[in-house]
Amino acid sequence: MVNFTVDEIRQFMENKKNIRNISVIAHVDHGKSTLTDSLVSKAGIISSAKAGEARFTDTRKDEQLRCITIKSTAVTLCYELSDKDFEQIEQDKDPDKHLLVNLIDSPGHLDFSSEVTAALRITDGALVVVDCISGVCVQTETVLRQSIAERIKPILFLNKMDRALLELQLDQENLYKTFQKIVENVNSIISTYICDDSKMGDISLCPTIGNVGFGSGKYGWAFTLKEFAGIYSQKFKIEASKLMKKLWGDNYYSAVDKKWSNQKSENNLRGFCMFVLDPIYKLAKSIINFNQCEYTKLIEKLGIEIKDKNVLNSGGKELFKLVMNTWLPAGDTLLSMITIHLPSPVRAQKYRTELLYEGPRDDDAFRAMHDCDSTGPLMMYISKMIPSGSRFTAMGRVFSGRAATGQKVRIMGPNYLPGRKEDLNIKPIQRTEIMMGRINHSVEDIPCGNICGLVGIDQFLIKTGTITTFENAHNLKVMKFSVSPVVRVAVEAKNLSDLPKLVEGLKQLAKSDPMVQCVMEESGEHVICGAGELHLEICLKDLEDVYAGIPIKKSNPLVSYRETVTEESSVNCLAKSTNKLNRLFMKASPLPEGLAEEIDSKAVYPSQDTKLRSKYLSEHYQLDLSYTKNIWCFGPDGNGPNLLINSTKGVQYMNEIKDSVVAGFQWVSKEGPLVEESLRGVRINLTDAVIHTDSMHRSGGQIIPAARRCMYASILSAEPRLYEPVYLAQIECSRSVIGAVYNILNQRRGIMLEELQNGNPQIVEIKAYIPVNESFGFSGEIQEKTSGKGFVQCVFDHWQVMDLNINEPSSKSMQIVNNIRRRKGLKEKIPDINQFLDKL
C-alpha cells in the first residue's frame, strides 16, 4: 500500500530542509538495486516480501534479463520519521516530520560510468555500496572519486553479509577484520581525492558515527552500531553515543569481570563480535540447521515479534530472512543513515554552488542557488534525457526558483556564451513531472531543491544544458566523465531505403545516452563511439529495436587513436599562401607531461583568465610567460588538449590573420597527417610570418591552406607517433587458474601491475594494463580458459604512445596505421614532408 499520494509528495517538496537527494553508487554486482528495494518498500511502493527480488529501479527488460543496471533511474520516496530519528538531525530542519528522498539508482558497470556522473551532478549525497566479500573494486574507487569531485557527501553500506554467514561461514573475528579493511580502504580513497580546502567538512566514514551500515540487501536486513547501542545502553547504563565507540575497534569486554579493556586477553572478547555479531551468528546457525528449540528461545529473548507463529516451524533461509527482516529492517536503517548523515539541498548548495556556477559570485542566479531560494530566478541543470515514447523527458535538478508547466524559459546548451544567441532557445515548458521510476506523474510546478522531469524541451537540447528565467545567467558547468568513447562501430541500414530512419535513429540514440557519440565520417560512414564493448552492444540493440526500428549492419569494433609528436621539429617549417605573397613559419613540439590530462579535466581551459592561466602554466610546467600569454586557441573543437601559440615578435597584421590560422589549426588538430585522427599533446608555435599589406591578398582562402600545410610539415618533422587507448583491467580469479590468466595477458600485450589477496585466500585479484585494441573478446576468453573461474572488468585508464618506425612496415604500429588509412580510403603510404614544405 503506497503511503502517500502525489499531491502530498508535491506538498512536502516545499519543505526544502526535509529533502535528501541521493545517488546509490557501487561496483557492478555489489547489490545496489536489491538494496534500493528496501527503501522503496519502506515507502510502501512495493511489498516487503518482494524487496530484494523485484529490483524496482531496473525498469528496462534487458536490465531484468541481464541482472545489471544499465540506465540511471530516479524515484521520489516519502517517509514519516520517528521522533528519535527526527531529534538526531543536527542540521536545520522543518518542523514537519515528513522526509522526501529523491533517489537515483545508478549502474555499476564501468561502461556506464557516464550515467553515474549524470546522477551525481543532480544529487547531494551518495550511498556507497560495497560487497563485503569482494571488497573495494575498480569502479568503487571511480565512483568515489567522481562523487568527491562533485562535492557529494558519502555514506557507506557493507552489503552481502548473508554470504559471509551462510556461504563462506567466516568466523566473527575474520568478518570484523574484513569490515575494518573495507572501511579503511574507502577512507584512504576519500583522503586521496579530497582537497585540503574542501568546504564539505569531515566526510570520513566510521561505524562509531553511524554513517557505516552493515547487512544484506537480498534478505532485507541491515544495522548500524546505533541500533545495537540502543539495545545495550540500558543494560550497561551508558549513553548510546558513548557505547557506539566501545562497539568498534580494539575494545574488548570481559563477561567474567564485567569490564572493558583495550587489550586482548583470554577472558575477554571484542565488543563488536560479542554484542553485534554473536546474536546474529547464533540466530543464523540455529535457523539454517533447523534447531527449532534454540531459535525460538533466541527470537523471544531478542524481542522479535513474528505475527504468524506457524512459520516458526519451517526453518531454513526463508525463515532467516523473515526473522532478520522483522528484527533489523533494512529500510529503517538506511532511512536513518540518509536522514541524519546526508545534507539537505539548503545545506549542500552553500558549498556546491561555487563549483557548479560559471558566472560571477555576486549575480542574482548565484545568490539564489547558494541560498536555495524558491522566490529567486529559476536555475536548473538537465543531466540526461530519458526516452518516453517518441519523445524524451529531460531529467534535472532545480537549484533555485520553480520550474512550472507553461513557463517560458531560456534553454541554454553547453556551448552557450552570455550575450550571444548561439545554443540558446526561449521556449515554454510543456509539462513538469515527478519521477517515480517506471511511471512519471504530472504536477503544476516543482520548487527548488528537487529532482524532476521536463517535457517539451528535448528538441532544443542534445544531451545536457541549463534552464533559467534570468536573462544574464551563465551556464552551469558541463559534466566531466571518468571514461572516454574510445571504441567505435560503423553502422549502415541493410535496406538503402531505410537510411532516413537510421539517421533519425542515430540522433535519438545520441540524445538518450550522456556518453555515446554518433558521427558521420567524410567517407559517408555512420560511426557510433562508446566506452566499451557492452556499452556499444546496448546502444546498437537500442538503435535497432527502439530508435531506428530497422535491421542494421555493423562493422567489427574499431578503436579511436590519437596522433602526437615526441620531439621538437627538426626544421623551422615554411609554407607560402597560394598567391605566394604570404609566408608562415612554424614548429611543433610535445606539450609538457601531464598538461594534456589537465586540459581534459578542465583544470586548464580556454575561457580561463589569461593572467591566471599564464601564471599556472609557468609555475607548474615551466613554460615561458611570453608564450603562455599568447595562446591563440585550444584544439580540436576549441577545447582539446593541443595548443596554438603565437611566438612571433614585431610582425604586422597578425591580428588580421589570427582567425584564419586558428581555423587551419582546428582542421589539423581534428585530422592529423598520419591517419586523420585527432591530435593530442601537441603544441604548434607560429615562429615567424611575412604578411602582405593588402587585405585582399591575405584572406582566409590564402592563409588557411598555407597554415594547414605548415602545421602538417611541422608535425611530420617532429617524430610523429600514435597514442593508443589503454584499459586498466581488474581480473578476479581462482588461484588455480592464475597461469592461464597470465598467458592470455601476454598474448594481448598486457602489462601486469599487481596481484592482490582478498579476504578469501582462494581468490586472487590481478590488475593489469591492456590496450583497448587487444581487449575485444578478452572477457570471454578469460571465462573460457578459466572454466568460468575468472571475472574481468575493464575501465579506460590512459593514452599510451606507440613506437612508430616508418621504415619497418611489418611493425605492429605501422600495420595499425596502414589498416586505418585503408579503411578511411586514404593513400596507403604516409605523406612525405616535402608535399607540405615550401622553399624560400
Side-chain angles (χ1 to χ4, degrees), residues 20 39 42 79 81-82 84-86 88-89 99 101 155 209-211 223-224 226-227 329-342:
R20 302 289 183 271
L39 282 167
K42 170 82 177 159
Y79 307 96
L81 295 177
S82 64
K84 195 175 176 183
D85 279 347
F86 190 72
Q88 288 185 326
I89 300 174
L99 184 86
V101 176
I155 54 175
I209 304 170
N211 58 7
F223 63 89
T224 61
K226 190 180 78 147
E227 276 76 29
D332 291 2
T333 301
L334 291 169
L335 179 62
S336 175
M337 288 170 71
I338 290 165
T339 307
I340 297 165
H341 297 286
L342 292 183

Side-chain angles (χ1 to χ4, degrees), residues 380-570:
M380 180 177 181
Y381 186 76
I382 302 298
S383 71
K384 65 171 286 192
M385 297 285 182
I386 300 168
S388 176
S390 59
R391 296 290 295 276
F392 287 85
T393 301
M395 183 174 87
R397 158 85 172 267
V398 184
F399 286 98
S400 67
R402 292 170 185 271
T405 303
Q407 182 182 25
K408 213 166 204 182
V409 293
R410 295 167 65 84
I411 304 165
M412 306 189 306
N415 299 320
Y416 168 75
L417 291 171
R420 298 192 182 178
K421 293 188 177 179
E422 292 90 356
D423 218 358
L424 169 69
N425 289 281
I426 301 172
K427 301 289 175 183
I429 298 169
Q430 288 180 9
R431 197 162 70 245
T432 49
E433 298 182 333
I434 296 174
M435 314 293 283
M436 294 296 285
R438 291 174 169 86
I439 303 165
N440 297 340
H441 297 281
S442 298
V443 289
E444 191 175 325
D445 66 347
I446 302 279
C448 59
N450 289 283
I451 291 167
C452 67
L454 301 185
V455 177
I457 65 164
D458 55 314
Q459 55 195 315
F460 309 110
L461 283 179
I462 297 173
K463 293 177 189 283
T464 63
T466 305
I467 309 294
T468 183
T469 52
F470 181 48
E471 193 173 335
N472 299 319
H474 289 62
N475 266 354
L476 294 174
K477 274 189 183 165
V478 177
M479 296 182 291
K480 299 174 195 168
F481 296 119
S482 65
V483 290
S484 297
V486 291
V487 184
R488 302 144 64 93
V489 166
V491 294
E492 58 179 287
K494 279 188 177 174
N495 305 317
L496 281 175
S497 58
D498 289 333
L499 184 61
K501 288 182 182 176
L502 176 66
V503 172
E504 190 56 38
L506 286 168
K507 284 180 187 172
Q508 290 195 315
L509 176 64
K511 199 181 281 283
S512 71
D513 191 291
M515 166 63 63
V516 76
Q517 292 177 3
C518 299
V519 294
M520 186 175 174
E521 300 277 317
E522 278 192 10
S523 58
E525 236 180 359
H526 292 283
V527 175
I528 300 172
C529 311
E533 275 188 285
L534 181 62
H535 186 210
L536 275 179
E537 186 186 328
I538 298 294
C539 289
L540 289 167
K541 191 173 184 305
D542 284 351
L543 177 66
E544 197 163 10
D545 298 347
V546 182
Y547 302 123
I550 57 166
I552 58 172
K553 287 194 286 187
K554 46 190 179 284
S555 69
N556 291 327
L558 312 166
V559 177
S560 295
Y561 290 87
R562 296 288 183 269
E563 298 183 30
T564 190
V565 296
T566 53
E567 304 286 342
E568 190 177 14
S569 296
S570 54

Side-chain angles (χ1 to χ4, degrees), residues 223-293:
F223 63 89
T224 61
L225 295 189
K226 190 180 78 147
E227 276 76 29
F228 282 93
I231 293 168
Y232 294 115
S233 62
Q234 292 178 337
K235 179 185 175 183
F236 287 105
K237 304 287 189 290
I238 303 176
E239 285 181 32
S241 57
K242 289 182 181 176
L243 187 57
M244 281 171 75
K245 292 173 183 173
K246 297 284 187 187
L247 295 178
W248 188 258
D250 294 331
N251 292 301
Y252 304 90
Y253 185 75
S254 169
V256 179
D257 302 332
K258 298 194 187 297
K259 285 184 180 176
W260 289 93
S261 169
N262 55 12
Q263 297 293 324
K264 178 79 178 91
S265 69
E266 291 181 6
N267 299 329
N268 60 22
L269 277 171
R270 192 183 295 277
F272 184 77
C273 297
M274 179 184 276
F275 297 111
V276 178
L277 293 182
D278 196 51
I280 295 172
Y281 267 69
K282 282 178 178 172
L283 256 181
K285 189 177 178 182
S286 58
I287 293 174
I288 296 301
N289 293 335
F290 296 91
N291 190 338
Q292 188 172 353
C293 182

